[in-house]
Amino acid sequence: MALDSSKVVDDLGGSNDKWAEAVGFFTGFKAPKRDDLFDTLVGNEGIPLMKVEISDVGYVDYVDTEDMNWLYENAGSDIKNTDFVIPFYHAKGGTGSDVTMHKARITLLGSKGDGRIPIQGYQEGGKFSSSIDGHLGMDGKPTWDTTFTARYAYGTGLALEELLNNPSEGTYGFSWNTLPVNDPDSVTLDNFETVAAAFDRVAGFFSSQQKIVEEWQSRLGTEKDKAWRGKAAGVFWDLINKINKQYSDYADDMKPGGNSTVGSKQGDEIRQAKKDFREAVSDLHSVWAKWQWKYGNPLVVLHTLLSAIMEFVWDNNITKITYEIEPAGESYVTNYISEEHFSNRAAIKEITGTGEMALSVAAKDFGDLKELDTWVEVGNKALLMWKQTVEDNLDKAAVDAMTKVRDSWSNSELDFGSVKSRGTSGTLESDFKEEKAELAEEKAEADAAAAKAAAEEAARKQEAFIQWQKDQAAKAEAERKKEKEEAERKEREAKAEAERKEKEAKAEAERKEKEAKAEAEAKEKEAEAKAAAKEAEQEAKQEAKEKEAEAKAAEQEAKAEAKEAEAKAEQAAKEKEAEQKQAEQEAKQEQLRAEQEAKQEQVRKEQEAKQAEAQARAENMQMIQMNQAKTQQEEAKKEQAAKEAQAKAEQEAKEAEAKAEQEAKEKEAEQKQAEQEAKQE
């Protein structure tokens, strides 16, 4: 039969995949649907994540409950080229029923690595096929594919990492496991700065041009007198007046906050939006980095579940049988039977997780160990456990990150203001017509008094003109002095602002370096504590099992002594045979104990190597963050130097322009004085 994914639990996606939604928003990377991740990872009878073969051993291997080497060699991970083996007895009736022995041989479908437990850490997915044609009733040589789970579990987090580590390109051109980010969907952090700089340039243009237009108007006169009103030249005065008001409005609307004289209000808001956006991405990536190491590979969760089932089988099945000796003609037959509390069930006790991102699971009975439908339930439970780790960690972090950006970018926080013109609704044509009408009315009223006031007006104008010349000269000198003081003030403020930003950048870099160092030290201590706790827990379990085995051995010995009283002669022969077997068993145990110690030493070395690899990765990430902070600081210094040079050049240009204008005014005043003197003569 073909691979059947219809038995895969159908609520893996939930109502809304917050993790995939957030990663798509922040990076443009489109994660596959969570519901479809495991459709290509089913074994025989549609069992998720594994193939299961229930075999009949053909005999009963009576297990010494004190022989922990037997458990290590016959049950759990990597047993005789099989990924996971669970041996068990089966009884058709209740207590005292005959038992038969079986094995559940399990092949995991996914990234297992070379050790006894599935590999941790991210790796690309791909296709792999069975080497056995028609194995376990599956058609041909079935092919499985881990690409989709790898893209979801690892590609999403690596897209966040690319966005953080490559601010100039971001996720443009990013691809992982053959799934690219579409160019229109890519996100680049430096684009925030590009837009902010555009607003800064516009604000600078309006600010500088408004001063030029204001100077034009000052030359024409800030009030529209009779010399301009009602004439074609008056339209030019209106034009300069309107431009001055509009540019002044624009400059005010885009003025940066505080005492800053450079940049723009809109540019500052966009830079703050970028900062909040990047912090949210960094928080999300930090949670993913921890999650992918613990739970990214779903086989890690499945292995935890299978180990819990094996523990239940050991306590309630393998250690819950005994034997009885019955006469059969001239010899005796040994029958193996179930004891009280014997169970045929595949079940787990409550799993209580410890440490960060702990996974806890309630006790559950999956069904009869011999039935394949039971293992369908086991596989689906592993998928739901994996889904729980996603919801408890990735989905929660995604909601927090999206909320942070939403709050930062809300209207109450992200205020671009409004850039608009005010009080300039009239057109030049309408203003010109209104002035002509007003002048006609004023002229009619003034004609009667014009003749009488003509002589007085001429004398007054002469005196006023002489005073105006004096005032203009004084005003020019005052304006020159004011502009010089303003220029010196702005230069001092720009220098102070540059020094402040440099200090802030230096302090921020030092703070990030300290935080990165502290985080690395904390991770190292946490890893050491976890290793110590795990070792202590293993020793406690070993000691408990040894005590339990001793108690059971004592009980078994009492039963054997009772049966020896009933058949003393036969038992004497059996005792001699048992002594011989005991000697053989002790020799075998000694050999197995040595092998066990060697295997444990190998596992310890592998764990130390993985811990060293994780520490190296943390140190590498710390170095990347330090280099990035250093680069940003250097860029800030370069940008500040460029801005200071530009401000200085602009100031020198303005001073030269003011000087030229002053000289022009003086020449114009001299020319008017000469003309006036000529008229007087």
Side-chain angles (χ1 to χ4, degrees), residues 271-282:
R271 291 185 181 92
Q272 183 62 41
K274 171 192 174 181
K275 181 176 181 292
D276 295 335
F277 182 88
R278 192 186 188 286
E279 287 179 354
V281 173
S282 179

Side-chain angles (χ1 to χ4, degrees), residues 461-526:
K461 284 186 177 180
Q462 176 64 24
E463 183 180 354
F465 182 78
I466 294 173
Q467 183 62 39
W468 176 81
Q469 286 181 324
K470 294 179 181 179
D471 293 342
Q472 284 295 105
K475 181 179 179 182
E477 177 63 22
E479 289 179 349
R480 185 190 66 78
K481 185 177 180 181
K482 180 180 179 181
E483 289 176 352
K484 183 178 180 181
E485 292 175 350
E486 179 68 15
E488 291 175 350
R489 183 187 64 80
K490 289 184 177 179
E491 183 178 357
R492 290 194 301 271
E493 290 178 350
K495 184 177 180 181
E497 178 67 14
E499 291 175 350
R500 184 187 64 80
K501 288 187 176 180
E502 183 177 357
K503 290 181 180 178
E504 289 180 350
K506 183 177 180 181
E508 179 67 13
E510 291 174 351
R511 184 187 64 78
K512 289 185 177 179
E513 181 179 356
K514 290 180 180 178
E515 289 179 351
K517 183 177 180 181
E519 184 178 358
E521 292 175 352
K523 288 183 178 179
E524 181 179 358
K525 291 180 180 179
E526 181 181 359

Side-chain angles (χ1 to χ4, degrees), residues 67 69 73 578-595:
D67 186 4
N69 286 334
E73 293 178 351
E579 290 175 355
Q580 182 177 358
K581 288 184 178 181
Q582 178 67 21
E584 294 174 353
Q585 183 66 24
E586 289 177 353
K588 181 179 178 182
Q589 287 179 352
E590 184 63 27
Q591 180 181 358
L592 292 176
R593 185 178 296 105
E595 293 176 356

Side-chain angles (χ1 to χ4, degrees), residues 200 262 271 501 638-648:
D200 292 347
V262 295
R271 291 185 181 92
K501 288 187 176 180
K638 291 179 181 179
E639 181 181 358
Q640 183 60 35
K643 287 184 178 180
E644 289 179 357
Q646 181 181 0
K648 184 177 181 181

Side-chain angles (χ1 to χ4, degrees), residues 14 69 82 98 123 137 148 308 324 348 357 392 405 415 442 600 624 634:
N69 286 334
T82 304
D98 290 342
Q123 60 273 327
F148 301 103
E324 57 183 11
I348 60 172
M357 292 187 177
D392 290 348
V405 173
D415 183 11
E442 292 173 0
Q600 290 177 346
I624 291 174
E634 291 176 353

Side-chain angles (χ1 to χ4, degrees), residues 17-20 22-23 34 152 160 280 283-296 301 354-360 384-401:
D17 191 343
K18 297 296 184 182
W19 169 249
V23 171
R34 199 186 292 172
Y152 186 93
L160 294 171
D283 293 343
L284 199 58
H285 175 267
S286 178
V287 174
W288 169 82
K290 298 174 184 177
W291 174 87
Q292 64 87 15
W293 177 253
K294 294 193 68 172
Y295 302 119
V301 180
T354 58
E356 191 175 10
M357 292 187 177
L359 175 62
S360 298
L384 292 175
M385 290 166 61
W386 184 83
K387 172 197 171 187
Q388 189 64 44
T389 69
V390 175
E391 292 179 343
D392 290 348
N393 299 287
L394 299 186
D395 282 356
K396 181 180 181 298
V399 171
D400 292 343

Side-chain angles (χ1 to χ4, degrees), residues 242 246 421-428 430-431:
K242 287 181 180 292
Q246 290 176 352
S421 300
R422 297 177 284 275
T424 58
S425 59
T427 64
L428 295 176
S430 63
D431 291 345

